[in-house]
């Protein structure tokens, strides 16, 4: 799924292109692809299990008002920084 994201695809190409070569054996190139795929899959599985666990969902629901305030303040600060940069 993440390979369909253009930014991640470019990142993978930038990182792995320096290790992949036609001179490498097939096993080495295949292992690079499998390592990247495995790490990516494990990250998404961990993230989904973490976010969908009952305790985390209850915490998010209980603290949703505070989370919304924090995110709102971050967006306000970011917009002020961008406005100051625009006016320079």
């Amino acid at each position: 799924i993440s390979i369909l994201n253009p930014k991640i695809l470019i990142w993978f190409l930038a990182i792995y292109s320096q290790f992949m070569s036609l001179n490498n054996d097939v096993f080495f190139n295949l292992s690079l692809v499998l390592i990247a795929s495995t790490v990516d899959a494990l990250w998404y599985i961990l993230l989904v299990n973490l976010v969908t666990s009952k305790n985390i969902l209850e915490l998010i629901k209980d603290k949703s008002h505070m989370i919304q305030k924090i995110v709102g303040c971050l967006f306000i600060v970011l917009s002020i920084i961008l406005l100051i940069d625009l006016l320079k």
Side-chain angles (χ1 to χ4, degrees), residues 4-46:
L4 298 176
N5 183 338
K7 291 184 282 187
I8 294 176
L9 178 64
I10 291 171
W11 184 82
F12 274 119
L13 287 174
I15 297 297
Y16 283 99
S17 65
Q18 55 190 319
F19 299 109
M20 297 185 103
S21 171
L22 292 175
N23 298 332
N24 293 344
D25 61 343
V26 175
F27 178 74
F28 181 75
N29 286 339
L30 185 63
S31 65
L32 287 175
V33 171
L34 288 175
I35 289 170
S37 300
T38 303
V39 168
D40 191 46
L42 289 174
W43 171 251
Y44 281 108
I45 290 169
L46 174 73

Side-chain angles (χ1 to χ4, degrees), residues 48-87:
V48 166
N49 285 329
L50 181 69
V51 172
T52 59
S53 72
K54 186 177 179 179
N55 294 337
I56 299 295
L57 283 175
E58 288 178 12
L59 178 69
I60 291 172
K61 285 179 184 176
D62 291 342
K63 304 293 183 183
S64 67
H65 191 62
M66 183 179 62
I67 292 170
Q68 289 176 355
K69 283 184 179 182
I70 291 171
V71 171
C73 289
L74 288 173
F75 281 141
I76 289 171
V77 168
L78 180 63
S79 63
I80 290 171
I81 291 170
L82 290 172
L83 181 64
I84 290 171
D85 191 49
L86 181 68
L87 296 176

